[in-house]
Each structure stands twice: as structure tokens, then as C-alpha cells.
Amino acid sequence: MGVCESKGKAGEKYRRGVYFNDEEDPRPEEDKFIPDEELQKRLKKVIGKNERILKVGVYKCKLFSVQLTAGTLYHAFVLLETKNWWWSIEKNGQGVTIQRSKRHTSVCEKYRMKSRNTVSGPIAEDTCRYNLHQFVDMLYGSDAVYSAYHLLENNCQNFASLVFNAAGSTDVWYP
């Protein structure tokens, strides 16, 4: 059984900040959360080398393992490709999660180290106008990370659209 659920229609369990998962980081999950007051500075430090983002893409997965299709009811997330890493960024009722791995499948097919429900995509793809540090600045300045999750008004699809449309060079995507 995969994961892609969104807890709380109005983000009751939403945490302000970012959960950062690096597959090479052995720390327990609770130690991977960066609170919002430290976000911009600490995230850049955790990212390390300021690489150019080569591609940005939107992917989707079924919300529930029993769904027949992911036609209109799906979880959307963004994948970034740099020379050395694959990254995913997404928002759900638990907060914003950024993952990093040397392998595409580790961030595309997994969420917080657990298998996702069936993934498809990219449903939108573009070159990116940012390097990693500029991308963090864009996230920090956009209020995308800080605004609480809401199932209908501020959900994973809205977040993926905002991130993709801000980072992409030419293309736009709307759910």
C-alpha cells in the first residue's frame, strides 16, 4: 500500500516549515524538520552546493491505493533535476516536504521513505530559471511554504502549480 494521503481538510496537523529528507541522512524523521524561522538560512546550508536546476516537472499519484485512476482526484508534486541530485517538493496536510536523492525513483516513487501510490508523469515539464539557492529564495518569498494547507483552497495541486509556474522558463501548468 502506498502513501499520498492529505491529513485534515483545513490542515489541522499542518506544520509551518519544511521536512527535509536526504536519503543519505540517517537521522530519525523528527530531526529532519526545519522550523519556519530558520528555513531560508538552514535550507541553503543543508542543500550545500548551489547547483543549477536543469528541469522542473509536475508529477501526480493516486490519493488512495484503491483508486482506479488518478484522473481528477490526485496528489501533485514537483520534481527538480540538477547535475548531481533529484529533488521533490510537495505540500499536504502534514506540511511541505523536500526530498533529495541521487536516484530519480527515490524521490519520484517515495514520500518520506515510503512507497507512493501509482505515480504518473511528468504531466508538465520545463527548463528552470533558477539555481537551488534562488529557488529557496523564491519559495521563501512566495509564502507558499507558510500558508496553511486546505483541501479545497490551498492544496497540493495549487502548490505544485505555483512552484512549477514560478520556476519554469516558458511553460505553465494549472490543475
Side-chain angles (χ1 to χ4, degrees):
M1 177 188 272
V3 295
C4 267
E5 77 280 350
S6 294
K7 294 190 177 9
K9 68 178 180 186
E12 289 92 2
K13 297 181 181 184
Y14 187 78
R15 293 183 73 186
R16 289 174 50 104
V18 169
Y19 169 89
F20 182 79
N21 182 53
D22 182 339
E23 75 173 350
E24 298 176 3
D25 184 352
R27 292 178 302 149
E29 186 171 316
E30 62 273 5
D31 293 339
K32 296 179 180 181
F33 185 78
I34 303 172
D36 61 355
E37 62 273 1
E38 303 171 24
L39 179 63
Q40 191 174 21
K41 183 178 173 184
R42 236 176 104 197
L43 192 54
K44 283 183 180 180
K45 183 178 178 184
V46 170
I47 286 171
K49 186 178 176 188
N50 190 18
E51 292 185 272
R52 180 99 190 122
I53 301 171
L54 305 173
K55 285 185 187 174
V56 57
V58 178
Y59 289 72
K60 67 180 181 177
C61 65
K62 295 177 185 178
L63 287 174
F64 310 101
S65 58
V66 295
Q67 275 181 251
L68 295 177
T69 70
T72 55
L73 186 62
Y74 60 90
H75 173 71
F77 59 99
V78 173
L79 251 60
L80 307 171
E81 179 186 359
T82 67
K83 181 180 174 188
N84 296 309
W85 297 97
W86 287 93
W87 303 77
S88 69
I89 182 165
E90 57 202 283
K91 185 177 200 171
N92 64 20
Q94 296 174 318
V96 173
T97 297
I98 296 176
Q99 301 180 118
R100 172 174 76 173
S101 176
K102 298 282 186 186
R103 295 183 305 274
H104 176 268
T105 56
S106 293
V107 294
C108 185
E109 296 176 10
K110 293 184 184 260
Y111 170 74
R112 295 190 180 185
M113 302 168 74
K114 295 178 185 170
S115 294
R116 295 181 191 270
N117 293 321
T118 307
V119 176
S120 58
I123 56 177
E125 189 174 55
D126 200 357
T127 56
C128 187
R129 68 177 86 210
Y130 297 125
N131 61 43
L132 287 171
H133 288 190
Q134 291 168 327
F135 183 78
V136 170
D137 291 340
M138 180 275 298
L139 284 176
Y140 185 78
S142 71
D143 198 37
V145 172
Y146 302 117
S147 58
Y149 179 88
H150 188 280
L151 185 62
L152 300 175
E153 298 170 7
N154 192 21
N155 59 34
C156 60
Q157 294 176 16
N158 302 125
F159 181 78
S161 177
L162 184 146
V163 170
F164 180 81
N165 295 345
S169 296
T170 58
D171 205 5
V172 293
W173 175 77
Y174 297 101

